[in-house]
Amino acid sequence: MHKEKWIIGLFLLSFHLMKAQAQKIEVPQIAGAWVHIFDPAETRAKDSSWYTNDHCFVKAADGSWHAFGIIHHLPIAPWKETRFFHITARSLKQAHWEDKGYAMTAEPGVERVLWAPHIVKEKRRYHLFYNTGNLQENAPNYASWGQLRLATGTDLYQWERHALNPLFSDAGHARDSYIMKHKGVYYYYYTRTFSETDLRSVVAVRTGPDLYHWSGPQIAHTQPYRVDWGGDAESPFVVKKGGLFYLFICRAMTEYNRTDVYWSANPLHFPNENFVGTLPVHAAEIIYDKKDGWFISNTGWDKKGLYLAPLKWGSKGK
């Protein structure tokens, strides 16, 4: 039986390799200067002590761009991050985005923090997925179960929390939501540990027929670094391109400003041997606009806000 499983696994790996070779693996590359689109100190306390972190971008029906994300005042305090910033621009090339204040604030007694928003638009409604940590007092000190939640709205300004929150919970400070739709199936990627006791950093994935109902988890990618919060496989982002899938993860425990990319023909599994390359960024989002092309973002504790740069895709080995 074990031999049969090994043969089947080898066959599937060979199949995916041949498929990838036929479709050509591409390599994302930063293709221009970084533009500082948001400095929180410009519209808040007049100092340099604000930081932003995991965030998302979404294009509104009127063509404007919106970004939402973690914001807090130094010193660094992840378990006190209770608000999302909201900024807007006419295009991704705009140098300074307009600060719209705070999009959401954690609900006292229900949501301990607000982490890592991700927005999906469907049927004229925006779906904001976010993560709220764990209410237990010692939750930061072990691989506590993080809660993944949903809020919806029609205008990107007013949000109504889903009546059946949380959508699900998972071990290892589960957080950093990213949702992709492929062939009628939704894929929900997020960061966690392998289990409550196996503290390897992983990207887990759940699937569903819509944005409200999700399967049990399976592991899509594993990094060996062991830490309570799965911190070497953070901020997962998946791009569909040229018949392949590209997983971007932040290797923050190995190096704070490091995002690694892996390819796969299967959106449920990104093998470590399918390494594409590394980008010197933290908590990156990949953005595409039909008019302006590809962009990549950069932020984190060591920066004064949020940055954007153009992105290009080249051939592997070049």
Side-chain angles (χ1 to χ4, degrees):
M1 179 63 72
H2 291 297
K3 185 177 180 181
E4 291 177 355
K5 289 183 177 179
W6 181 83
I7 293 173
I8 292 172
L10 183 61
F11 170 79
L12 291 174
L13 178 60
S14 299
F15 171 78
H16 291 314
L17 283 171
M18 288 187 294
K19 184 176 181 181
Q21 289 170 353
Q23 293 168 326
K24 190 176 67 171
I25 299 169
E26 298 183 72
V27 181
Q29 302 167 0
I30 297 169
W34 289 102
V35 176
H36 195 181
I37 66 170
F38 177 47
D39 180 351
E42 291 182 353
T43 51
R44 289 169 175 77
K46 299 299 181 181
D47 58 36
S48 59
S49 299
W50 291 89
Y51 68 87
T52 60
N53 215 324
D54 294 70
H55 56 282
C56 66
F57 292 83
V58 62
K59 192 173 187 177
D62 64 0
S64 62
W65 280 92
H66 296 242
F68 300 80
I70 293 171
I71 186 169
H72 195 262
H73 197 278
L74 290 173
I76 299 163
W79 286 86
K80 293 182 179 180
E81 295 166 352
T82 58
R83 296 179 290 190
F84 287 148
F85 70 77
H86 179 195
I87 57 175
T88 65
R90 295 181 301 277
S91 80
L92 292 170
K93 293 183 177 180
Q94 184 172 319
H96 295 283
W97 291 36
E98 184 177 351
D99 190 348
K100 296 296 185 178
Y102 300 112
M104 287 179 63
T105 300
E107 185 178 353
V110 178
E111 301 169 338
R112 184 166 182 174
V113 295
L114 292 186
W115 286 337
H118 176 66
I119 296 176
V120 177
K121 184 182 180 183
E122 186 170 276
K123 297 179 180 179
R124 300 181 182 180
R125 196 163 189 84
Y126 299 98
H127 298 73
L128 190 160
F129 297 86
Y130 63 106
N131 321 117
T132 59
N134 185 305
L135 291 175
Q136 294 187 12
E137 185 177 355
N138 66 334
N141 304 322
Y142 71 104
S144 59
W145 283 55
Q147 296 190 343
L148 294 96
R149 295 174 177 261
L150 171 66
T152 63
T154 58
D155 62 1
L156 294 172
Y157 288 89
Q158 302 296 322
W159 298 100
E160 179 182 354
R161 288 167 168 83
H162 181 43
L164 300 180
N165 275 335
L167 297 174
F168 56 85
S169 298
D170 226 334
H173 304 196
R175 66 198 185 282
D176 295 4
S177 305
Y178 179 77
I179 289 84
M180 175 188 74
K181 187 177 183 180
H182 175 61
K183 294 184 177 180
V185 177
Y186 293 87
Y187 295 78
Y188 194 136
Y189 300 91
Y190 58 103
T191 296
R192 49 166 270 196
T193 55
F194 194 89
S195 71
E196 292 175 281
T197 56
D198 184 339
L199 302 183
R200 285 178 292 169
S201 302
V202 309
V203 175
V205 59
R206 297 175 184 241
T207 58
D210 53 42
L211 295 172
Y212 295 85
H213 303 89
W214 300 100
S215 70
Q218 64 184 85
I219 304 303
H221 181 81
T222 304
Q223 289 291 335
Y225 198 106
R226 288 170 167 80
V227 65
D228 286 336
W229 54 91
D232 219 29
E234 292 187 324
S235 309
F237 196 103
V238 178
V239 173
K240 295 186 292 183
K241 195 173 190 302
L244 294 176
F245 301 91
Y246 295 87
L247 170 67
F248 294 71
I249 58 167
C250 185
R251 301 284 309 282
M253 301 304 296
T254 295
E255 184 179 346
Y256 189 74
N257 291 296
R258 172 174 171 174
T259 293
D260 286 356
V261 186
Y262 300 83
W263 68 267
S264 181
N266 178 2
L268 295 174
H269 182 52
F270 292 85
N272 289 67
E273 57 266 27
N274 290 8
F275 178 72
V276 175
T278 293
L279 297 165
V281 295
H282 181 84
E285 295 281 302
I286 310 302
I287 312 102
Y288 176 72
D289 181 72
K290 289 183 179 180
K291 178 182 177 181
D292 294 328
W294 292 91
F295 289 81
I296 185 171
S297 63
N298 192 15
T299 189
W301 296 335
D302 58 341
K303 305 170 189 72
K304 298 176 182 179
L306 185 59
Y307 295 76
L308 273 181
L311 186 78
K312 67 179 181 180
W313 294 80
S315 299
K316 192 170 179 60
K318 295 184 179 181

